[in-house]
Amino acid sequence: MWFTVASRSDPDERVVRTLYAFRGLPAAVAAAIALAVAPSSASAAPYEVWSCRDAAGSPISAGAWSVAYDFTDASTTESTDSCASGGGYRAALAPGVARGVSGIDLRFAAPRGTTITDFELWRSVRIAGDGSSFQANVDEVVGGNAANPASACFASSADPTCGTDPTSPLSAANRWTKETPGPLDLIKIVSRCGQSCPASSPVAVESTLYRSRVVLDDPTAPAAAVTGGTLAAGAPVSGQASLSLAARDRESGVASVTLAVDGGAPTTIDSGNSLNACHLPYVDPQPCPADTERLFLVDTSTLTPGAHQVAGTAVDAAGNTTPWGPVDVVVAEPPVAEEPPAADPPAAIPPSAAVPPAVVPPAAVSGGAPDNGAPAVLRPRVDLRIEPGKAGVGPRIVGTVRTPAGRAIAGARLRVVRTPLGTAPNAKTTTDTVTTDAHGRFVAPRRSGAHRVRATFAPWDGAPVTRSVERDVRTTLRLSAESRQARRTTGQTYTLRGRVRGAGQATPRTPVQIEAIVRGRWRVVGTTRLSSTGRWTWRYRFRSVTRPTRFAFRATVLSAPAWPWSTRHSGRVHVHVDPR
């Protein structure tokens, strides 16, 4: 898909990039980073960005280049993107265009704070050769102005391909390298038709980028700050303890963070995963996240009681490193066990069988980079909304998962746990796994009954839950009563049946009262119980009816601890009884 990226000289783009660096983190976390100690000084560190093919010529996915139009009618373009399959970025103009200047620019923009120091481009150019003013060139840009056309060609009938061979896209003749000394902000590949494009040609002009290598310098190290966790709380810790670390790098992005206990071997959490481009070979000008928050877990039971220190680093994609810490930690003394009763002394152990002293294992440090959804965050915002269904049908549970700044998270997996309300025997907790769509939205399966619904989110497989939301949900019940016997005679049995729909696991053995109107009031005349399917049956024999009488019955289920609904009544059922 083609998209437009403004040049680095655009002041609005500077504002957007600055805000975006904080957009994925809560305000408190962003403030902690902003107030952190200034990052370590760093000399310019280079990193390479490849497109379409890597150094070995193998196809790679790419997103480094964008397309921009210098005219408004995009229907006159025939641009295609097959870079990820090794084909290339093709910027082409359709025939028959009549404009003063109509063109397409492929642009590689350096992230704010970085500069382009070198590049190699493999491309081919094809222009319809009928004498019109067609142009294809590579521009090196500083501050929004073309410093030097690194290569330019103008078509003529005698030179239809402008000196390149599109059948050999990786040949030396098709490779263009940096010519202007000094750093650049932007490089562009331009295809342009100056007057009119011939209607007879399949395309008027096309320029295809088959492979590129762009070298950028990042002179700034990342910033890092501890933002929470029991290790940073100042109180003695025991068992599994945590430390939350936030890092920011607005240039090449944060590639990894580390944590070490007492200067030991560090544990590293990389930012790269299947959802981003933060892994070699880099295919994006800013390959790693501009800001990130990671959670480290430390098993303090493997540490001796007393004072310890934790510290680490934050590293950007260019290799610039910033240390953080140290953070002082006190491991609590283990609880004193009660002395067991005295026992007979054990038999003497021969010296040769003596047991060597136990080896204390090193501190166990674990952690992970959030990879649950895109963009992946440590603590998202999870919302649940209950949409009641019609009577007897479970409500619709709809949720959204967003970053703290409100951006939708796609592909996030959550567990939806339903715990039955009430005290119904043998009621079971059920669990569903749901996944958000492209808009960060998920829908849990409908289930009848009364439940406490809890949606939980963990930032990676095996990680502790960092977000959970609970709601009490009740299906709108439907209690029915009916009989096929509209007329009975004294001595005959009358059968009344019905069903409760929507109670789910709460139905088995639930009492049902049968009421009749007696002297103008509803009075209980019998009881029965619900089956496991919510059905009920009641039978009654009329004995002392002396004159034709019309009776009215209804079923009632009362509110009770095992029945977490208010009292429910069925509709009236009438029967005409004649004396014998």
Side-chain angles (χ1 to χ4, degrees):
M1 178 181 294
W2 293 111
F3 55 94
T4 302
V5 176
S7 69
R8 196 178 76 83
S9 61
D10 185 347
D12 292 335
E13 189 215 11
R14 294 194 184 101
V15 175
V16 171
R17 286 189 182 276
T18 302
L19 292 176
Y20 181 75
F22 293 93
R23 194 169 294 161
L25 296 177
V29 175
I33 300 177
L35 294 176
V37 178
S40 302
S41 61
S43 59
Y47 62 101
E48 294 182 341
V49 178
W50 291 83
S51 293
C52 303
R53 292 179 173 88
D54 59 16
S58 301
I60 56 175
S61 61
W65 295 82
S66 63
V67 66
Y69 307 99
D70 57 8
F71 57 95
T72 57
D73 186 4
S75 64
T76 60
T77 70
E78 291 189 356
S79 300
T80 56
D81 178 3
S82 58
C83 183
S85 60
Y89 292 109
R90 174 175 170 267
L93 287 176
V97 178
R99 305 276 177 168
V101 174
S102 297
I104 303 174
D105 297 347
L106 279 174
R107 297 168 177 255
F108 186 105
R112 185 171 182 260
T114 67
T115 52
I116 300 170
T117 61
D118 194 13
F119 66 79
E120 290 182 290
L121 309 177
W122 287 259
R123 72 180 180 102
S124 70
V125 176
R126 181 182 295 276
I127 304 174
D130 64 348
S132 299
S133 178
F134 302 138
Q135 178 188 11
N137 63 279
V138 176
D139 290 341
E140 298 176 346
V141 181
V142 178
N145 299 315
N148 180 55
S151 64
C153 56
F154 295 86
S156 67
S157 58
D159 187 15
T161 62
C162 207
T164 64
D165 180 8
T167 63
S168 302
L170 299 181
S171 66
N174 285 14
R175 190 173 72 176
W176 307 86
T177 58
K178 186 174 183 293
E179 294 187 0
T180 300
L184 304 172
D185 300 317
L186 176 72
I187 50 179
K188 301 193 299 181
I189 298 179
V190 182
S191 297
R192 181 172 289 119
C193 173
Q195 295 179 358
S196 64
C197 300
S200 60
S201 175
V203 293
V205 58
E206 66 179 15
S207 182
T208 303
L209 177 68
Y210 291 94
R211 180 168 71 171
S212 68
R213 180 184 71 91
V214 180
V215 181
L216 299 101
D217 268 357
D218 179 358
T220 307
V226 175
T227 57
T230 54
L231 288 174
V237 295
S238 61
Q240 183 170 265
S242 63
L243 184 138
S244 180
L245 180 73
R248 183 190 71 187
D249 187 274
R250 292 183 296 177
E251 291 76 31
S252 58
V254 181
S256 63
V257 291
T258 69
L259 178 145
V261 180
D262 295 332
T267 293
T268 301
I269 302 178
D270 294 322
S271 296
N273 54 51
S274 59
L275 303 174
N276 61 33
C278 187
H279 48 77
L280 295 175
Y282 293 142
V283 295
D284 193 281
Q286 187 184 63
C288 298
D291 49 63
T292 185
E293 188 178 12
R294 297 292 183 258
L295 181 69
F296 289 94
L297 303 177
V298 178
D299 183 5
T300 64
S301 64
T302 62
L303 300 174
T304 58
H308 296 270
Q309 286 187 333
V310 293
T313 60
V315 184
D316 66 17
N320 296 312
T321 302
T322 296
W324 61 266
V327 176
D328 294 324
V329 177
V330 176
V331 176
E333 293 282 349
V336 178
E338 295 184 2
E339 185 175 349
D344 294 335
I349 300 176
S352 60
V355 179
V359 178
V360 178
V365 180
S366 63
D371 61 1
N372 189 4
V377 298
L378 185 64
R379 287 186 287 269
R381 193 173 74 203
V382 179
D383 298 309
L384 281 182
R385 186 176 76 254
I386 309 303
E387 299 178 354
K390 63 182 181 179
V393 179
R396 194 164 179 257
I397 302 173
V398 180
T400 57
V401 183
R402 300 183 180 277
T403 67
R407 183 180 176 188
I409 299 178
R413 301 175 306 281
L414 296 92
R415 296 178 72 233
V416 178
V417 180
R418 291 179 173 87
T419 303
L421 297 174
T423 57
N426 302 320
K428 298 179 180 180
T429 296
T430 59
T431 302
D432 297 301
T433 300
V434 295
T435 304
T436 59
D437 61 16
H439 304 289
R441 183 173 177 269
F442 67 86
V443 179
R446 292 179 184 265
R447 295 186 187 276
S448 298
H451 306 95
R452 178 153 295 160
V453 176
R454 185 174 183 231
T456 63
F457 174 93
W460 66 88
D461 288 342
V465 171
T466 57
R467 277 290 181 265
S468 66
V469 181
E470 286 187 356
R471 294 284 188 276
D472 285 350
V473 179
R474 291 174 174 84
T475 302
T476 301
L477 296 185
R478 181 182 177 186
L479 174 57
S480 63
E482 62 180 8
S483 177
R484 296 180 180 178
Q485 301 163 341
R487 201 172 191 99
R488 295 275 88 184
T489 302
T490 303
Q492 290 184 324
T493 300
Y494 176 65
T495 303
L496 196 64
R497 291 185 175 89
R499 185 176 184 181
V500 173
R501 298 179 185 270
Q505 298 183 70
T507 56
R509 307 298 297 167
T510 297
V512 179
Q513 290 185 171
I514 307 302
E515 300 173 345
I517 296 180
V518 180
R519 298 185 181 92
R521 296 177 55 188
W522 286 105
R523 298 182 183 274
V524 177
V525 295
T527 59
T528 184
R529 291 184 180 272
L530 296 178
S531 69
S532 60
T533 61
R535 299 180 184 277
W536 59 269
T537 302
W538 178 74
R539 293 180 175 87
Y540 180 75
R541 185 184 298 275
F542 294 98
R543 298 182 183 276
S544 57
V545 178
T546 59
R547 59 186 176 85
T549 306
R550 188 169 182 259
F551 291 90
F553 294 94
R554 74 178 183 185
T556 297
V557 179
L558 299 176
S559 178
W563 185 256
W565 284 271
S566 59
T567 299
R568 292 289 192 274
H569 303 289
S570 72
R572 295 185 183 190
V573 180
H574 294 94
V575 59
H576 190 92
V577 181
D578 296 312
R580 185 180 291 274

